Amino acid sequence: MTALLIVLGVLLAIGCIPVGIRAVYDEAAAVYLTVLGVRIRLYPMKQKEKQKKQDEPQQKEKKKFKFPPRTQLEEYLHLLLEVLGRFRRRLVVKTLTLHAVFGGDDPADAALNYGRAWAAIGVVMPLMEQCFTIRRRDVGAFLQEGEETIRLKAELHATLTVGRFLQLALLALWRFLKIYRSHKNQPEKAV
């Protein structure tokens, strides 16, 4: 009994571990995965030296992909949308930063772009807040005289616990297999 409680306690502790993703854009894009405070760079990846292969193995014949019927595709699409809907409700956006700095030679063009940016922010932000839980946001457009072009700075930090991710993944896998098995057992119709 004690061993079972220890195993359940360990599984519960693992399920509470937050896994985060941080995406940053400021002149260049970078994407990081954070687990227990350890940051792992996903993009841009480190370039590995390619080793030249002198003896290339012959390629095997590829199996032709058979496209599933329309009804099965509709069920898979419905499953995908359901899983994405559940995923977005569990994802927590800790930080959302978006700054657009406008400038240029023509002040009238800069002012028009500035107004367009605020109009886009006014449309997009309510949709983002409806879809995700956003804890801290810093979104805005700015005019600056010294700027020659439009400059963007964006940062997104979102987290999801391991337990919630596994729950969604297992649900999706179970439903996928259920759909797959139901269509596998049905005889194919001649078209």
Side-chain angles (χ1 to χ4, degrees):
M1 184 68 178
T2 337
L4 179 65
L5 290 176
I6 291 173
V7 169
L8 288 176
V10 169
L11 289 176
L12 183 65
I14 290 173
C16 293
I17 294 173
V19 176
I21 188 146
R22 182 181 296 268
V24 179
Y25 178 81
D26 191 10
E27 303 295 326
V31 179
Y32 301 95
L33 180 72
T34 55
V35 180
L36 293 173
V38 177
R39 186 181 290 184
I40 303 163
R41 181 170 54 176
L42 299 176
Y43 179 83
M45 295 183 69
K46 294 180 182 179
Q47 297 294 330
K48 295 181 181 179
E49 295 181 22
K50 294 183 179 179
Q51 298 176 355
K52 295 181 181 179
K53 295 183 180 179
Q54 295 177 356
D55 298 327
E56 300 232 359
Q58 294 179 354
Q59 294 182 355
K60 297 179 181 177
E61 287 186 29
K62 294 182 181 178
K63 294 181 180 178
K64 291 185 179 181
F65 177 73
K66 186 177 179 184
F67 211 68
R70 187 177 139 223
T71 55
Q72 190 174 359
L73 282 177
E74 288 175 356
E75 289 181 27
Y76 288 139
L77 182 62
H78 181 69
L79 172 64
L80 177 68
L81 292 176
E82 180 184 335
V83 169
L84 288 177
R86 289 174 184 243
F87 179 76
R88 75 172 171 85
R89 287 189 290 274
R90 286 171 174 78
L91 188 72
V92 176
V93 177
K94 286 188 168 184
T95 305
L96 175 66
T97 303
L98 177 62
H99 292 171
V101 180
F102 297 95
D105 297 334
D106 188 9
D109 276 345
L112 284 173
N113 289 333
Y114 175 77
R116 289 180 186 138
W118 273 111
I121 290 169
V123 170
V124 170
M125 282 310 295
L127 294 173
M128 290 283 293
E129 290 177 1
Q130 182 181 8
C131 290
F132 302 106
T133 303
I134 302 174
R135 290 195 180 153
R136 192 172 71 216
R137 68 192 65 70
D138 183 14
V139 179
F142 307 96
L143 281 173
Q144 194 170 8
E145 285 184 35
E147 289 292 322
E148 295 179 11
T149 60
I150 298 171
R151 187 169 43 97
L152 294 175
K153 178 186 176 192
E155 181 177 351
L156 173 77
H157 183 215
T159 60
L160 183 70
T161 62
V162 172
R164 288 184 176 178
F165 177 76
L166 287 176
Q167 176 191 12
L168 288 172
L170 291 175
L171 174 72
L173 179 64
W174 180 73
R175 295 274 313 274
F176 174 80
L177 290 174
K178 187 176 175 183
I179 294 169
Y180 180 76
R181 286 181 183 156
S182 70
H183 286 283
K184 187 176 180 182
N185 295 335
Q186 292 178 354
E188 292 186 31
K189 296 178 183 177
V191 179

